[in-house]
Amino acid sequence: MVERRDDDERWMAEAIELAWGGLGRVEPNPMVGCVIVRDGQLIGRGFHETFGQAHAEVNALADCKTRGESACGATAYVTLEPCCHHGKTPPCADALIRAEVSRVVVAAVDPFDQVDGGGVCRLRDAGIRVDTGVGLSAATQQLAAYLKRVRTGRPWVIAKWAMSMDGRIATTSGESQWITGESARRGVHELRGRVDGIAIGMGTMIADDPMLTARGGGARTPARIVFARSRVPSLNSRLVESASQTPAWLVAGPQVPDSEIDRLADHGVKVIRVQSSDSVSMIDEALVRFGSSDNPSGQPMTHLMIEGGGELLGSFAAGDQIDECHVYVGAKVIGGRAAPGPVGDPGIAKLSDATGFSLEMVDRFDDDVRMIYRRTLSAE
């Protein structure tokens, strides 16, 4: 029995919902979900749960066996094209062929150069009907960070800030803790626990001496990253003192003396040297390193979170490098012309040059509000 188009959309939506279970656990691999259906009945489901472990299709086929079902003659709905290469696991296209499914429905073709249509071709060559593009828009939104990294070599950049109702991130005296309440701050720690890296500038480093860790045990231990054009963190800072236990990186401009680099390296800080002293170009160089395996982790970074301060956020914005914003609005009015806003220099001269975002979500934490914005994405 061939599923109807509305059935295809329904089953793909279930596969997409399943895939979210891998968020923060599978990177740099993509989140993928799979459901297997026969005669309108689900007989297997699975998602990619952990980096280096079985992919969604293999987990769904295993679920079929657990249920006492055979996937022979069934339809598999997969959110991303099944892989056709040997990586940490064998090709998923081959697993589907061995299971003798009759049809595979794919939301998005994988642009990764070792796949990029090869999985679809392998399935079709084995006599399996393959349909693509079902649920493409939703899958593209879900896979946005992975797709950006594969296509551009740079991670997905999430800018986060907390501000008062009148748009201040601190008082005129510089006091900033805390604009939002504990409930909202727990939301920030949840976000920290699913990204690959958290970045700040030296202004925030000096003012706040932050740890930048994720309380409550997230799925990942993000690298804590400081952008330094000339000044560097103190050896007595909490971030440097904990560098041997939790990854700490320094993105160092050419003005930073080698002697300072050596001292930090002796304390376990990993250093990425960039050639440019211009803040916008410095960020672009660093993002290329982050998005490749040529960084201290040895793995491409998929999600980078920017926590401030205003100068660093301003430079990311000026370079058009922000993909998503998590804006927390605290139930306070601060006032004062000298009280800083969240995004500083150099700024945008013309509104027509500003990056446009779409509002994706609004939620409430007691009396505080979080708004999540994303770039408008195409489904290419």
Side-chain angles (χ1 to χ4, degrees), residues 78-360:
V78 191
T79 59
L80 185 67
E81 177 183 11
C83 61
C84 55
H85 66 290
H86 283 268
K88 290 187 176 295
T89 61
C92 292
D94 290 354
L96 292 170
I97 292 167
R98 288 194 301 272
E100 299 182 326
V101 300
S102 63
R103 181 176 177 234
V104 177
V105 181
V106 175
V109 173
D110 190 346
F112 182 52
D113 58 8
Q114 294 186 57
V115 185
D116 199 14
V120 169
C121 288
R122 185 172 297 188
L123 292 166
R124 286 175 174 160
D125 288 345
I128 296 171
R129 176 184 167 186
V130 181
D131 296 307
T132 63
V134 175
L136 177 60
S137 178
T140 298
Q141 289 290 328
Q142 182 179 67
L143 292 162
Y146 168 77
L147 295 175
K148 180 194 175 184
R149 181 176 58 75
V150 170
R151 288 168 175 160
T152 72
R154 293 167 173 80
W156 183 263
V157 176
I158 303 171
K160 169 266 165 184
W161 66 81
M163 65 185 185
S164 62
M165 291 188 296
D166 56 331
R168 270 69 169 183
I169 62 169
T171 67
T172 54
S173 66
E175 184 181 351
S176 61
Q177 297 181 345
W178 298 100
I179 288 175
T180 56
E182 180 62 32
S183 179
R185 295 199 296 276
R186 282 197 296 270
V188 173
H189 281 275
E190 289 174 6
L191 176 60
R192 286 181 177 181
R194 66 170 177 81
V195 300
D196 302 288
I198 303 167
I200 60 171
M202 274 303 300
T204 298
M205 184 73 216
I206 292 169
D208 297 342
D209 190 21
M211 277 289 285
L212 299 179
T213 51
R215 288 201 311 266
R220 308 181 78 73
T221 301
R224 302 165 302 160
I225 305 166
V226 180
F227 279 79
R229 295 173 66 186
S230 55
R231 299 177 295 176
V232 298
S234 165
L235 298 182
N236 297 322
S237 65
R238 297 196 297 162
L239 185 143
V240 173
E241 287 183 339
S242 60
S244 59
Q245 292 82 43
T246 306
W249 302 359
L250 184 77
V251 178
Q255 297 175 31
V256 177
D258 289 340
S259 58
E260 299 279 8
I261 296 296
D262 292 341
R263 276 195 288 271
L264 289 168
D266 288 342
H267 284 71
V269 176
K270 306 298 183 182
V271 179
I272 294 176
R273 273 284 197 183
V274 294
Q275 300 301 310
S276 178
S277 59
D278 171 73
S279 60
V280 174
S281 299
M282 184 176 174
I283 286 167
D284 191 59
E285 280 188 64
L287 290 177
V288 172
R289 293 283 296 274
F290 294 165
S292 73
S293 57
D294 183 22
N295 66 59
S297 73
Q299 291 283 3
M301 181 180 288
T302 302
H303 294 96
L304 175 67
M305 178 180 177
I306 310 301
E307 287 226 30
E311 184 178 347
L312 185 65
L313 282 167
S315 296
F316 268 87
D320 195 23
Q321 300 284 10
I322 298 174
D323 301 295
E324 182 173 324
C325 298
H326 290 225
V327 181
Y328 289 80
V329 180
K332 294 179 176 69
V333 174
I334 293 175
R337 290 187 178 181
V343 182
D345 291 334
I348 302 295
K350 296 181 179 179
L351 282 175
S352 58
D353 294 334
T355 303
F357 293 87
S358 298
L359 181 62
E360 295 289 317

